[in-house]
């Protein structure tokens, strides 16, 4: 009455190419996806020197903008209390010295490639004195404000001379603008001084 059915075996799946396909998909996603990269602060550290051969550099008071960040995250600029929002403007005014103020940094006359004869702000120094107990947030706000001041000057010069923002300049134009407004930052953390 009842016939017993034969059990059919299912054919096995061929998975030989699965590893190849997985590898190709992995490569595809690695190549096409963008990886976030952290950007740091552009600073040139001094070369290691013999500690016995310390050289004292004499800088005129008018050429130095002293920024101090204390343990309570209070920021001062040449002894006056300030905040990060105001600091960018103060840095830009200090570095540019557009009115040739005798209290602000000296400017030099130089021939700059692509720009001709220009007044160059190459004698100023922004000196940072940071308490080791200051918060990272306050420190980086200060650094960003300093860079914003430089970028403000560089953008204005690039816009007037090349007709576009500093970020859109080619390497040769960026070098010319950076020669007029070089970043000159010296930093002291605790008792250690970095340039």
């Amino acid at each position: 009455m009842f016939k017993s059915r034969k059990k059919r075996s299912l054919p096995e799946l061929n998975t030989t190419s699965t590893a190849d396909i997985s590898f190709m998909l992995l490569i595809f996603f690695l190549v096409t996806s963008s990886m976030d990269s952290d950007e740091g602060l552009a600073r040139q550290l001094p070369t290691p020197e013999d500690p016995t051969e310390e050289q004292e550099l004499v800088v005129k008071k008018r050429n130095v903008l002293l920024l101090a960040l204390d343990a309570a995250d209070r920021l001062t600029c040449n002894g006056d209390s300030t905040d990060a929002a105001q600091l960018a403007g103060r840095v830009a005014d200090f570095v540019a010295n557009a009115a040739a103020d005798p209290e602000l940094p000296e400017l030099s006359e130089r021939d700059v490639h692509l720009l001709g004869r220009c007044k160059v702000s190459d004698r100023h120094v922004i000196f940072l004195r940071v308490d080791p107990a200051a918060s990272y947030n306050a420190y980086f706000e200060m650094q960003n404000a300093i860079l914003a001041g430089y970028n403000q000057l560089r953008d204005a010069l690039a816009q007037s001379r090349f007709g576009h923002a500093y970020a859109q300049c080619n390497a040769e134009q960026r070098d010319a603008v950076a020669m007029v407004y070089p970043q000159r930052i010296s930093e002291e953390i605790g008792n250690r001084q970095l340039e």
Side-chain angles (χ1 to χ4, degrees):
M1 244 178 147
F2 294 104
K3 285 187 181 180
S4 66
R5 288 187 174 187
K6 273 187 173 178
K7 287 189 176 180
R8 290 185 188 176
S9 64
L10 294 173
E12 291 184 20
L13 292 173
N14 185 2
T15 59
T16 308
S17 64
T18 307
D20 294 335
I21 293 171
S22 302
F23 183 69
M24 289 174 65
L25 284 172
L26 178 66
I27 295 296
F28 173 76
F29 286 115
L30 285 174
V31 169
T32 59
S33 64
S34 64
M35 302 287 177
D36 289 338
S37 61
D38 295 333
E39 293 185 16
L41 300 171
R43 296 289 181 266
Q44 181 179 356
L45 296 177
T47 57
E49 296 177 4
D50 185 12
T52 59
E53 294 181 21
E54 286 190 26
Q55 297 176 355
E56 188 171 320
L57 182 64
V58 178
V59 180
K60 293 181 182 177
K61 184 178 179 182
R62 72 179 273 189
N63 292 336
V64 177
L65 181 67
L66 175 63
L67 301 178
L69 184 64
D70 65 9
D73 294 341
R74 284 187 302 266
L75 180 63
T76 58
C77 179
N78 284 343
D80 301 329
S81 184
T82 189
D83 62 358
Q86 298 170 341
L87 185 58
R90 290 189 74 170
V91 167
D93 291 342
F94 175 78
V95 173
N97 191 8
D101 186 344
E103 298 295 317
L104 295 177
E106 301 168 291
L107 301 175
S108 322
E109 287 270 341
R110 294 251 166 95
D111 286 321
V112 179
H113 179 63
L114 299 178
L115 299 176
R117 193 106 176 122
C118 300
K119 289 192 176 187
V120 176
S121 179
D122 60 349
R123 296 185 182 168
H124 76 277
V125 176
I126 296 178
F127 186 75
L128 309 178
R129 184 171 287 144
V130 181
D131 190 296
S135 72
Y136 284 117
N137 190 33
Y139 175 77
F140 284 111
E141 279 181 9
M142 177 184 66
Q143 289 282 355
N144 287 336
I146 293 168
L147 293 180
Y150 278 109
N151 289 338
Q152 189 178 26
L153 293 172
R154 290 175 175 182
D155 276 340
L157 182 60
Q159 194 69 266
S160 69
R161 295 295 183 100
F162 305 123
H164 47 76
Y166 179 71
Q168 297 170 338
C169 291
N170 62 35
E172 193 176 24
Q173 292 170 337
R174 277 195 304 271
D175 288 344
V177 172
M179 190 175 286
V180 175
Y181 298 120
Q183 281 187 15
R184 296 179 46 107
I185 300 171
S186 181
E187 188 168 350
E188 180 183 272
I189 299 177
N191 294 328
R192 205 176 46 154
Q193 184 174 344
L194 304 172
E195 275 191 32

